[in-house]
């Protein structure tokens, strides 16, 4: 199945409960950092236990990471890790993004995340545009999956918090770009620093050149 969608406002377990009859280990996948000008793209993978009452209580508040405050994301990330049967976050570098393109690089990060799981998934629930056609594994790509599917939302939170932590570390190595604050995204201050200093080894040159060609 591909590009499924629904009108659910908050992430729940509708997709998972329909699948748990046939598959025990279902991995939700989502990315973070897709549109940034610097740093890697991250993909989180989460396998939740097939216990709906427990999950809805333990993971209350987990949703699309972009709709959560940094403090809320940071407080819920440990709970996701404790509740999940297995979880993993992996990256594809700025160099890989420039060399391959953002879609193939994101899929490489997703494959790395899956390999990092301690349990082999039997089915994938992915956010839209994160499907993995190279895998002979049943999967569903869900439009706005992090808003509708709890497994994907959990993966979204882990991808975002793990990438943010990395960008804060990179800020100490590249202190002039404000990476600790902008997390590599194209804020006005970040763009000004790029014009003044040029790009660093962790900047996505293809993204910057594309932006410059549009101005």
């Amino acid at each position: 199945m591909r590009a499924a969608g629904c009108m659910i406002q908050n992430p729940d377990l509708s997709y998972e409960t329909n699948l748990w009859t046939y598959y025990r280990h279902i991995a939700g996948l989502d990315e973070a950092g897709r549109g940034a000008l610097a740093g890697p793209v991250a993909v989180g993978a989460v396998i939740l236990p097939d216990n709906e009452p427990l999950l809805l209580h333990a993971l209350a508040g987990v949703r699309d990471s972009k709709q959560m405050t940094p403090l809320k994301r940071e407080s819920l990330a440990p709970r996701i890790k404790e509740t999940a049967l297995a979880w993993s976050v992996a990256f594809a570098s700025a160099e890989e993004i420039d060399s391959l393109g953002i879609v193939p690089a994101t899929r490489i990060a997703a494959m790395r995340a899956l390999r990092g799981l301690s349990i082999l998934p039997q089915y994938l629930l992915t956010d839209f545009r994160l499907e993995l056609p190279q895998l002979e594994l049943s999967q569903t790509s869900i439009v706005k999956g992090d808003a509708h599917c709890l497994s994907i939302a959990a993966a979204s939170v882990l991808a975002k918090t793990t990438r943010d932590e990395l960008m804060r570390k990179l800020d100490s190595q590249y202190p002039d770009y404000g990476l600790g604050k902008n997390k590599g995204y194209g804020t006005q201050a970040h763009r000004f620093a790029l014009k003044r200093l040029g790009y660093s080894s962790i900047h996505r040159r293809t993204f910057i050149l594309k932006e410059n060609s549009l101005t």
Side-chain angles (χ1 to χ4, degrees):
M1 291 184 288
R2 301 289 181 190
C6 63
M7 297 299 293
I8 301 172
Q9 296 300 310
N10 295 308
D12 63 16
L13 292 165
S14 298
Y15 289 93
E16 291 91 339
T17 52
N18 287 333
L19 291 166
W20 274 328
T21 303
Y22 309 100
Y23 307 95
R24 183 180 179 191
H25 298 144
I26 301 165
L29 283 83
D30 200 10
E31 52 77 24
R34 189 185 190 99
L37 300 182
V41 63
V43 173
V46 173
I47 298 177
L48 296 176
D50 55 346
N51 187 328
E52 183 173 3
L54 167 68
L55 291 177
L56 293 177
H57 174 74
L59 302 184
V62 173
R63 61 184 63 213
D64 175 2
S65 63
K66 297 183 292 297
Q67 297 179 359
M68 300 169 65
T69 66
L71 183 61
K72 190 66 172 177
R73 288 194 298 264
E74 295 292 341
S75 68
L76 284 173
R79 193 180 305 172
I80 293 169
K81 294 175 182 178
E82 292 169 0
T83 304
L85 289 177
W87 66 272
S88 175
V89 178
F91 301 102
S93 68
E95 183 179 0
E96 289 173 315
I97 293 169
D98 284 338
S99 174
L100 302 171
I102 186 60
V103 173
T106 304
R107 287 175 174 168
I108 286 174
M111 293 294 292
R112 290 170 178 164
L114 290 175
R115 287 197 294 268
L117 291 170
S118 59
I119 297 173
L120 184 67
Q122 300 165 312
Y123 199 102
L124 304 182
L125 293 170
T126 74
D127 197 28
F128 190 51
R129 300 187 301 177
L130 193 53
E131 57 268 67
L132 299 172
Q134 68 269 42
L135 279 184
E136 293 185 4
L137 190 63
S138 297
Q139 53 191 284
T140 297
S141 173
I142 305 169
V143 175
K144 297 183 179 179
D146 48 7
H148 301 315
C149 172
L150 188 57
S151 294
I152 297 176
S156 169
V157 172
L158 294 191
K160 176 64 174 169
T161 54
T162 303
R163 185 181 184 277
D164 283 357
E165 181 181 3
L166 174 63
M167 296 308 294
R168 288 191 291 269
K169 292 178 180 178
L170 290 174
D171 185 40
S172 64
Q173 300 177 41
Y174 305 90
D176 298 319
Y177 297 96
L179 301 176
K181 292 183 178 180
N182 61 50
K183 307 303 187 294
Y185 285 92
T187 62
Q188 184 176 1
H190 190 181
R191 289 188 171 93
F192 179 77
L194 282 167
K195 290 181 180 179
R196 182 167 56 91
L197 302 168
Y199 43 65
S200 72
S201 61
I202 62 165
H203 278 90
R204 304 175 188 179
R205 302 186 182 193
T206 52
F207 279 41
I208 297 167
L209 290 173
K210 182 178 180 180
E211 279 210 348
N212 291 340
S213 70
L214 297 176
T215 58

